Amino acid sequence: MRATLLVGTLAALVTVMASPAASRSAQSGGGTQTITKAEYDRWKTDLSNWGRWGTDDQIGAVNLITPAKRREAAALVTDGVSISLASDVDTEKAVDNPQPYEHRMLAIGSDRFGVAFHGVAHTHLDSLAHINYDGVFYNGYRPDPDAVMKAGGHARNSIINLKNGIFTRGILIDVPRLKGIPYLEPGTQITLRDIEAWEKVAGVKVAAGDALFIRTGRWARRATVGPWDLSRTGLRPGPNASMIPFLKARDVALLGSDVPPSSAPSDVPGETGPVHDFALVTLGVHLFDNCDLEALAEAAAARKRWEFLLTVAPLPIRGGTGSPVNPIATF
């Protein structure tokens, strides 16, 4: 089924790009690719990574970042220029930052930070203990909620499992640049056709162990028109469920965006964040939420290079559902 979907989509893309309306289509958007709830539910079985790396596995698709992959990623560094993919710590409450960072000076040379980092504001990495389907997390982990709260964290799938860090090839997928616009409007769905079209335009091919970063231009729009509530239905751009088989077929290790990576409104009936939740629970793909990809987009465009070395060091929080992070791209 997966192969049929990918072949059909590629054929459709060739037809569109060959037509006289191709340029207009790229400017106006890729439309939507509807996925039924029944199809989405079948994918939970057909595309699952549960058991792929053993019944005791707790890091999921990060297993795809092999020593060979790290050596390949290191070879991408030619300029020696590094760029942060994190938004600045934001201590001001706003409609898109309902739980700002807390910062208090304790002394002239000492201060304290605190943050509830999940949501639509702060750059962070979701662990595989963040999202569940009916109480079941990646690889069949089914904790007792009371036990988790009493223990102060999860016994499995927590962010502590990434204590040794992430070192792999990162790829920027700049959807606004593909469409010739500065940013996507709220509610815009990014489809598999968009991802495949970007591969052709940018001359990159997503491969096993890669970390994908999808730019919607969220921060460029905020700088132009001000903050808006990305948590509300219809007000968040992002990838729709059509790209789920692609994530499995290409063995993507990590997925990130400048918003939590899933379209709103949901394109799958009854699902609030189909790509976000499927990636974490079924594929075991850790997610970067709310990255700032503006400087990266400028650096990549200046070099006409959309691949880079990605390094990330999550906080080693035992039992944690994720961690604030500062991902670094090095060209």
Side-chain angles (χ1 to χ4, degrees):
M1 179 182 69
R2 182 181 69 219
T4 301
L5 176 64
L6 290 174
V7 170
T9 302
L10 283 168
L13 176 62
V14 169
T15 301
V16 170
M17 296 305 289
S19 72
S23 177
R24 294 193 301 273
S25 176
Q27 293 289 330
S28 62
T32 61
Q33 291 176 259
T34 303
I35 304 300
T36 66
K37 183 65 163 63
E39 189 169 21
Y40 183 81
D41 287 341
R42 282 199 306 273
W43 286 351
K44 291 180 181 180
T45 299
D46 295 346
L47 305 182
S48 176
N49 277 331
W50 289 19
R52 180 176 176 181
W53 297 285
T55 57
D56 294 330
D57 176 58
Q58 298 184 49
I59 63 172
V62 169
N63 282 289
L64 297 163
I65 305 175
T66 63
K69 184 70 180 184
R70 294 187 185 97
R71 290 193 295 271
E72 292 172 5
L76 295 173
V77 178
T78 56
D79 295 353
V81 175
S82 292
I83 297 164
S84 171
L85 278 58
S87 60
D88 291 346
V89 165
D90 192 348
T91 60
E92 295 187 14
K93 192 169 186 177
V95 67
D96 59 350
N97 186 16
Q99 300 184 95
Y101 264 87
E102 303 163 14
H103 181 212
R104 181 165 62 93
M105 296 301 297
L106 302 177
I108 190 66
S110 176
D111 51 0
R112 179 189 181 278
F113 283 93
V115 64
F117 58 84
H118 286 300
V120 298
H122 311 299
T123 305
H124 65 273
L125 179 62
D126 291 336
S127 83
L128 302 183
H130 175 46
I131 293 293
N132 66 83
Y133 287 141
D134 298 322
V136 184
F137 295 77
Y138 168 73
N139 217 17
Y141 167 52
R142 185 192 291 269
D144 175 72
D146 292 337
V148 171
M149 297 303 293
K150 183 177 180 180
H154 286 269
R156 295 179 56 81
N157 291 8
S158 84
I159 201 68
I160 192 72
N161 294 298
L162 300 188
K163 180 179 179 178
N164 291 329
I166 295 163
F167 190 104
T168 192
R169 181 173 78 147
I171 293 178
L172 175 65
I173 298 175
D174 193 338
V175 182
R177 180 171 294 274
L178 173 70
K179 298 177 183 298
I181 53 180
Y183 48 76
L184 302 184
E185 291 296 341
T188 303
Q189 293 190 10
I190 298 168
T191 69
L192 175 60
R193 294 188 185 97
D194 294 321
I195 305 302
E196 292 172 334
W198 177 255
E199 284 190 308
K200 292 178 179 293
V201 169
V204 296
K205 186 176 178 64
V206 176
D210 285 341
L212 303 191
F213 290 88
I214 300 175
R215 177 177 175 261
T216 72
R218 175 254 183 101
W219 299 108
R221 187 180 191 276
R222 191 183 199 271
T224 302
V225 304
W228 75 100
D229 186 359
L230 283 87
S231 66
R232 291 177 55 199
T233 300
L235 295 184
R236 183 193 310 161
N240 83 353
S242 64
M243 73 176 295
I244 288 173
F246 176 92
L247 297 175
K248 175 62 184 282
R250 297 295 186 87
D251 270 341
V252 170
L254 300 123
L255 177 65
S257 184
D258 45 15
V259 293
S262 213
S263 61
S266 170
D267 53 299
V268 179
E271 299 291 334
T272 57
V275 174
H276 181 279
D277 296 356
F278 195 100
L280 287 168
V281 181
T282 305
L283 298 178
V285 171
H286 292 73
L287 300 179
F288 296 97
D289 292 350
N290 312 314
C291 296
D292 187 339
L293 304 177
E294 298 307 299
L296 175 64
E298 293 178 8
R303 293 168 173 78
K304 294 182 171 57
R305 286 182 56 195
W306 312 100
E307 59 178 357
F308 48 87
L309 167 64
L310 173 72
T311 53
V312 189
L315 297 174
I317 305 168
R318 191 169 300 279
T321 62
S323 170
V325 288
N326 181 16
I328 302 296
T330 303
F331 289 92

